[in-house]
Amino acid sequence: MNIKKLMTMSVIAIASATPVAAQIADNGTAMVIEKLNLTEEWDKTFPKSEKVSHRKVTFVNRYGMTLAADMYVPANVPAGVRLPAIAVSGPFGAVKEQASGLYAQQLAERGFLTIAFDPSFTGESGGMPRRVASPDINTEDFCAAVDFLSNEPNVDPEAIGILGICGFGGFAISAAANDPRIHATVASTMYDIDRCTANGYFDANDNAESRDRMRAAMAAQRTADYRNRSYRRAGGVVDPLPDDAPQFVKDYYAYYKTPRGYHKRSGNSNDGWNVSSSLPFINFSLLDRAGEIKSPVMVVHGDRAHSFYMGKTAYAKLQGDNKELLVVHGANHTDLYDRLDKIPFDRLAEFFHKNLK
């Protein structure tokens, strides 16, 4: 038997034994969906609506990570009807059982098929190591959600939008700039993660010396992580809360660390991101191509939010007459996580209904 034939038989034999090897036999083209351990009980931080149906779904991004999502569908939709759809994620460091799930359920009540998904490496989604953030992969997560929705039989593939909360507002704008299948985008109480990482809050540390110190600290941490074969976590929202904490930190504590918003899988509610996660955000700009977005974008922000300056800058980067800045008077950053008297859900639904048709 010649060596080429022997090698071929070996690959086939291995492929029949493991899914990973099967990908080798298929020249790496097979899409493999990881079986995730999904919680079936209702473990959200908000009550279940009787106006929608709910189920767990999974989908795969182009890096091969399997993502977990909650799907919400308006009740009593006639068979064969294709609905406009919205993919929701965020805040940065949260899980789908928190704010994104609330947004998804509320928008489903208003006529949309929605999914709230956990980003790669977080919550119930796959990816190792856990609690890693990536400007590229987290932008891709939105595009992968569009892949999934575009192939759902009860979704109109020409009527798909996305909604990002907090840091995922920045990822949503980044995704909209790169994916013409996204027909409408909302960034709610948004953070520009790369800006506040590289420059500090209010750009107070926007200088090479500060960035060099961050790079040195994270490089040293990478060396230590490899030596220790474990990843040091940065810590979630500070606990116990210092008396002199800034008001926005107190606002985060009031959401993530109390029964109002605490969740056991949320990084912000517990031990946070891996320390080295911040490193790529120093060199990566999420909003560089925002001015090239052709589809409508709405930026929603509270005028009392410490992050309002980021939302205003993002809005300024958008071009054309299809952008909108919706200012919620009297709202701080976390009010737009879960305050039903503050979040303008009817206005959001109006925006999406207008642009997803």
Side-chain angles (χ1 to χ4, degrees):
M1 182 179 293
N2 65 48
I3 188 67
K4 183 176 181 180
K5 186 173 181 180
L6 180 61
M7 290 175 66
T8 301
M9 291 178 63
S10 299
V11 169
I12 292 172
I14 295 170
S16 65
T18 68
V20 173
Q23 295 178 74
I24 298 172
D26 196 35
N27 297 319
T29 62
M31 182 180 291
V32 177
I33 300 178
E34 180 185 356
K35 184 173 176 55
L36 302 176
N37 183 21
L38 302 178
T39 302
E40 293 303 326
E41 64 177 339
W42 186 266
D43 61 347
K44 324 299 185 196
T45 59
F46 51 91
K48 187 175 184 179
S49 171
E50 298 303 318
K51 298 178 182 179
V52 305
S53 65
H54 162 267
R55 66 185 176 95
K56 291 289 184 74
V57 298
T58 59
F59 56 94
V60 181
N61 70 17
R62 68 186 178 91
Y63 294 105
M65 261 81 78
T66 300
L67 276 65
D70 287 294
M71 178 183 285
Y72 300 88
V73 184
N76 303 317
V77 176
V81 172
R82 288 192 163 193
L83 297 171
I86 305 167
V88 187
S89 197
F92 191 68
V95 289
K96 64 187 182 304
E97 289 74 20
Q98 297 172 308
S100 62
L102 174 65
Y103 272 71
Q105 182 172 263
Q106 287 285 325
L107 288 169
E109 288 184 354
R110 290 162 172 80
F112 302 91
L113 184 150
T114 64
I115 58 171
F117 65 87
D118 283 330
S120 297
F121 312 109
T122 66
E124 292 185 308
S125 288
M128 293 294 288
R130 307 305 293 163
R131 304 267 182 81
V132 174
S134 164
D136 183 20
I137 295 174
N138 293 144
T139 295
E140 157 63 17
D141 288 341
F142 270 116
C143 299
V146 177
D147 295 341
F148 169 76
L149 291 171
S150 297
N151 286 281
E152 277 294 290
N154 51 345
V155 168
D156 179 353
E158 298 301 318
I160 296 175
I162 61 174
L163 189 153
I165 307 164
C166 182
F168 276 79
F171 296 130
I173 292 175
S174 177
N178 213 38
D179 193 334
R181 300 172 303 167
I182 297 168
H183 293 279
T185 302
V186 168
S188 181
T189 194
M190 72 155 287
Y191 253 56
D192 183 349
I193 295 294
D194 61 274
R195 179 180 180 181
C196 63
T197 299
N199 300 349
Y201 280 117
F202 308 105
D203 302 318
N205 297 316
D206 184 11
N207 58 78
E209 291 76 17
S210 294
R211 285 185 283 274
D212 281 345
R213 285 193 294 271
M214 279 194 292
R215 293 184 185 103
M218 282 185 277
Q221 188 60 54
R222 289 183 62 154
T223 301
D225 287 348
Y226 197 86
R227 180 190 311 118
N228 297 329
R229 296 297 191 266
S230 64
Y231 298 92
R232 182 186 171 199
R233 293 276 164 80
V237 174
V238 61
D239 188 15
L241 188 67
D243 292 336
D244 61 349
Q247 183 58 47
F248 73 90
V249 175
K250 294 177 181 178
D251 294 337
Y252 281 135
Y253 185 95
Y255 180 76
Y256 286 109
K257 290 292 190 175
T258 71
R260 170 185 165 193
Y262 176 85
H263 197 277
K264 62 184 179 181
R265 289 191 293 274
S266 167
N268 289 346
S269 291
N270 297 285
D271 58 354
W273 295 100
N274 290 351
V275 170
S276 60
S277 281
S278 295
L279 187 58
F281 292 97
I282 298 175
N283 289 349
F284 191 102
S285 181
L286 288 163
L287 304 183
D288 269 0
R289 299 289 181 263
E292 298 178 12
I293 299 174
K294 299 294 191 297
S295 57
V297 179
M298 173 186 277
V299 177
V300 184
H301 232 113
D303 63 356
R304 291 181 54 205
H306 68 287
S307 53
F308 190 22
Y309 74 101
M310 298 187 218
K312 288 188 285 189
T313 298
Y315 175 76
K317 286 178 177 287
L318 300 167
Q319 301 297 314
D321 57 1
N322 58 354
K323 65 177 183 175
E324 183 175 350
L325 177 62
L326 178 56
V327 179
V328 182
H329 296 288
N332 66 32
H333 183 82
T334 57
D335 283 340
L336 298 190
Y337 284 6
D338 68 334
R339 297 301 194 196
L340 296 181
D341 59 331
K342 298 285 189 182
I343 304 171
F345 282 117
D346 288 339
R347 289 287 303 276
L348 300 183
E350 179 184 351
F351 170 82
F352 280 120
H353 276 303
K354 175 184 176 183
N355 295 297
L356 299 180
K357 60 182 181 180

